[in-house]
Every structure is written in C-alpha cells, then in structure tokens.
Amino acid sequence: MYNNSNDLEIFVERLFANQRKTKEVVELKNEVLSNLEARVSDYLENGMEYQSAISLAIHNIDDIETLIDDNQKVYSYRLRYELVQSTLIYSLLAWICTIPFRFVASGIWANMLFLCIVILSGALYLSMSRHLKRYDKQTGIINAGKLAKWRKWAWSLWGVFIMVMWAYTFIIQFGSDVWFGRELRIQGPYSFYATFVPYAIPLTSILIPLLIRKASKLTTQLEVKEL
C-alpha cells in the first residue's frame, strides 16, 4: 500500500521509468502527478481514508502508454494475426517463384527455406484462427512513430543489402576475369541461368521490408477508436 507523502511521486517515477526524458515526457509526468494529487485531495475532502484515496486515484489513471506521443492503442491479437497471414502469403509466393531456381544448389536451399516458412506460418495461422473470436478485442500499445522509422530504415538497408550481395556475387563469378583482363563470357542458356539465379535469390529478402510496411499500415487500420 501507499502510505507516505511521497507515494504519488514514487508511483509516477515508476510509471515513467521506461520513457525517454524528453521535454514532452517531463511535462506529461508533471501533469499526471498534479492530476493525481488533485484527485487524492478531492477524495480526502469527501471523507475517504488516505490509503483508499491513493489507491483509487492510481487505479483510475489512464494507461500512460496511450498518452505518449506516437503511441497508439491497437487490437494487438488481430494485428499479429494479420501479420502471420501476410507472412504466409508472401512466403508462399516466394516459394513458388523460387521453384525454377532448384536447378542450382543455392536455389534448392532458398526454395526449401521458403517452404519451411510456409509450413510454420501456416500452422501458426491456423492455430491463431481458432482463437480469433476469443482474443479479437485484445489490445496493446504500439509506437507508430518508431514503426514508421523502422519502415524507412528497412527499405534503405534492404537496398544496401542487395547492392552488397550483387557486388559479392559478381566478384565471385567474374572477379578473376576482370582482374586478368579476360573477356566476360556466358556460354549457352544454362550458363546464363546459373549466372542469373544468384542475383535473383537475394531479391526474395524483400519479404522483410514488406512485412514491416504491412505492420505500419495495420497499426493505423487496427487502431482502437475511443468513443
């Protein structure tokens, strides 16, 4: 129980312990403390005992996460369900697209990887579908601002990754020819195919930025609208 004059200050400090000490957060913390002190004073004036007043004031405080800038209250189970569904769809498409790559060793591994993702995400999707009605209204807090930043970074990092992988593949395939000034040659359709596949496989990693983009959209679509 909260039984001394610093109870509210201690509670508010703990409440904001995981928040960055920005100007907005400090102002919000002071506002919350003032509101709590005002509530306690009102309860005491109405004859309520001190400990009961403290407990009631704290119990009725809004979830602090919803007060921080960029934080949104969303239907969390539905969001996870939709993300798993998207993972299943994207990985299924990637698996189908990489079937022709199985003529080379790296293509076999890529295709098998996506098949495993399809199986795992499919099993998870079916499991979550069974509990969808039960947890459909389950809510949680997501920082939409951070998610938007991650979306931008994901696309940038993906672009860098593709460039690095293509450069690495080119060096492995043609580095010695370039070094010794030999003519670059691709002889026949299979040689072209075997040369092309290592450049195509890294493109399938686009699933990661696509899923982050999907999560960002779902944060807006599944926001809890307070009446």
Side-chain angles (χ1 to χ4, degrees), residues 68-86:
I68 305 298
D69 288 344
D70 295 329
N71 281 347
Q72 290 182 201
K73 190 174 184 180
V74 299
Y75 293 107
S76 55
Y77 190 88
R78 169 67 70 171
L79 188 146
R80 293 194 298 270
Y81 176 79
E82 295 285 350
L83 278 180
V84 170
Q85 183 183 60
S86 296

Side-chain angles (χ1 to χ4, degrees), residues 45-102:
E45 290 177 1
N46 290 326
M48 187 176 294
E49 293 184 357
Y50 176 74
Q51 291 183 354
S52 298
I54 291 287
S55 298
L56 183 59
I58 290 174
H59 176 74
N60 290 334
I61 190 172
D62 294 331
D63 188 346
I64 198 63
E65 295 291 342
T66 62
L67 302 177
I68 305 298
D69 288 344
D70 295 329
N71 281 347
Q72 290 182 201
K73 190 174 184 180
V74 299
Y75 293 107
S76 55
Y77 190 88
R78 169 67 70 171
L79 188 146
R80 293 194 298 270
Y81 176 79
E82 295 285 350
L83 278 180
V84 170
Q85 183 183 60
S86 296
T87 301
L88 174 60
I89 294 173
Y90 294 159
S91 57
L92 181 60
L93 291 174
W95 174 70
I96 294 172
C97 290
T98 55
I99 289 177
F101 296 172
R102 294 181 63 89

Side-chain angles (χ1 to χ4, degrees), residues 79-155:
L79 188 146
R80 293 194 298 270
Y81 176 79
E82 295 285 350
L83 278 180
V84 170
Q85 183 183 60
S86 296
T87 301
L88 174 60
I89 294 173
Y90 294 159
S91 57
L92 181 60
L93 291 174
W95 174 70
I96 294 172
C97 290
T98 55
I99 289 177
F101 296 172
R102 294 181 63 89
F103 287 102
V104 297
S106 58
I108 294 176
W109 284 106
N111 185 248
M112 290 299 296
L113 173 62
F114 287 115
L115 178 59
C116 291
I117 297 175
V118 168
I119 294 173
L120 292 175
S121 59
L124 183 57
Y125 175 73
L126 291 176
S127 176
M128 295 184 72
S129 297
R130 294 175 56 189
H131 302 93
L132 183 59
K133 290 184 178 180
R134 181 179 180 182
Y135 297 110
D136 189 49
K137 299 303 180 182
Q138 187 180 81
T139 61
I141 301 298
I142 288 184
N143 191 302
K146 287 184 179 180
L147 194 56
K149 291 179 181 179
W150 291 350
R151 180 181 61 187
K152 294 179 181 179
W153 276 105
W155 284 109

